[in-house]
Amino acid sequence: MTAAFFTGLALGLALIVPIGAQNVFVFGQAVTLGMPRALWAVVGAALCDTLLIVLGAAGTSALLNSVPGLRPAMLIAGALFLTYLGVKSLRTKPSELDDQAGVWTRGQVLRQTAAVSLLNPHAILDTVGVLGAAITAQAVATRLPFAVGAVVASWTWFLVLATAAHAMRRFLTKERRVWFDRVSGLILLVFAGWLAVEFVHTL
C-alpha cells in the first residue's frame, strides 16, 4: 500500500507540476497579492483537483467522451474565461495592487480558481482520464492509497508553489510585481489561444 501511495504521488506530480493555467493563476496571486489570498487559491485549485480525481476513479472519463458537444463547449468557455483573466492581468497598474489586495472575499478567489481549474478541458482530461484510468487499473486493495497519493501531490504542489511565490514578494517592488502579473496575463492569453484553436478544430 505504501508503494501504491508513492506511485500515485509521483504520477500526480508528473501531471500537475508542468506549467498550466492553474499554476500560473496560483503563482500570480501569491506574487502580486500575497497571503492569505494565495492560500485560498491553493485551496480552490487543490479541491478542484481532488474532485476531478474522485470523478476519474468513479469512471467519469467515459462520460466525458460520450456527451456530444461537451468538449467544444468546455474549450470555448475556457478560452473566453482565460482571455478575460489574461487581459485583466495585462492591464494591471501599480496603484491597483493595493485595491486588489484590500478588496476581495474568499468566495471570489475560490470561484475564480474553480473556473480556471474546471474550464480547462486538458486539465480535466489529464486528471479524470489519466489519473482515473491509473486508479481503476490498480488492484482493489491499492486503489485508495494510490488515489490519496495523487490528491496529496496536488495539495502539496500548490502549497509549495504559493509559498515560494509569496517569498519572492519581499525582494520585489510593486512595479516589478505588476510585471509578474502582466507576464502571467500573457501566458494565460497563450493558453486561451491554444484552447480557441482546439475549439476550431472540433468544428
Side-chain angles (χ1 to χ4, degrees):
M1 293 181 70
T2 301
F5 171 84
F6 283 108
T7 302
L9 181 71
L11 181 57
L13 287 173
L15 292 174
I16 295 166
V17 169
I19 188 170
Q22 270 184 315
N23 289 340
V24 172
F25 181 79
V26 172
F27 188 87
Q29 295 290 296
V31 169
T32 58
L33 301 170
M35 305 293 191
R37 180 162 172 156
L39 283 180
W40 287 106
V42 169
V43 170
L47 280 176
C48 287
D49 277 4
T50 301
L51 172 64
L52 293 173
I53 291 169
V54 171
L55 290 175
T60 310
S61 57
L63 177 64
L64 288 177
N65 295 324
S66 64
V67 178
L70 179 59
R71 189 168 184 271
M74 291 169 58
L75 286 168
I76 194 61
L80 291 173
F81 185 71
L82 291 183
T83 298
Y84 162 75
L85 287 181
V87 171
K88 183 179 178 182
S89 295
L90 281 175
R91 298 177 64 182
T92 299
K93 299 177 181 178
S95 59
E96 296 174 347
L97 287 181
D98 290 334
D99 294 337
Q100 292 181 47
V103 183
W104 63 277
T105 65
R106 287 172 290 183
Q108 288 174 333
V109 178
L110 289 172
R111 283 193 296 272
Q112 280 194 340
T113 311
V116 171
S117 303
L118 301 178
L119 291 177
N120 185 346
H122 294 289
I124 291 176
L125 292 173
D126 278 349
T127 310
V128 176
V130 177
L131 281 176
I135 291 169
T136 55
Q138 303 296 308
V140 175
T142 59
R143 287 178 185 173
L144 181 59
F146 187 97
V148 170
V151 169
V152 169
S154 176
W155 284 86
T156 301
W157 169 248
F158 288 124
L159 183 59
V160 168
L161 183 66
T163 302
H166 176 71
M168 293 175 60
R169 295 183 85 240
R170 69 186 69 181
F171 304 107
L172 299 174
T173 63
K174 188 181 295 185
E175 288 73 19
R176 289 173 180 170
R177 294 205 307 271
V178 166
W179 280 106
F180 265 95
D181 211 32
R182 290 174 180 171
V183 170
S184 296
L186 183 61
I187 295 173
L188 290 174
L189 287 177
V190 170
F191 280 112
W194 182 25
L195 294 183
V197 170
E198 293 268 333
F199 169 75
V200 172
H201 287 164
T202 65
L203 299 180

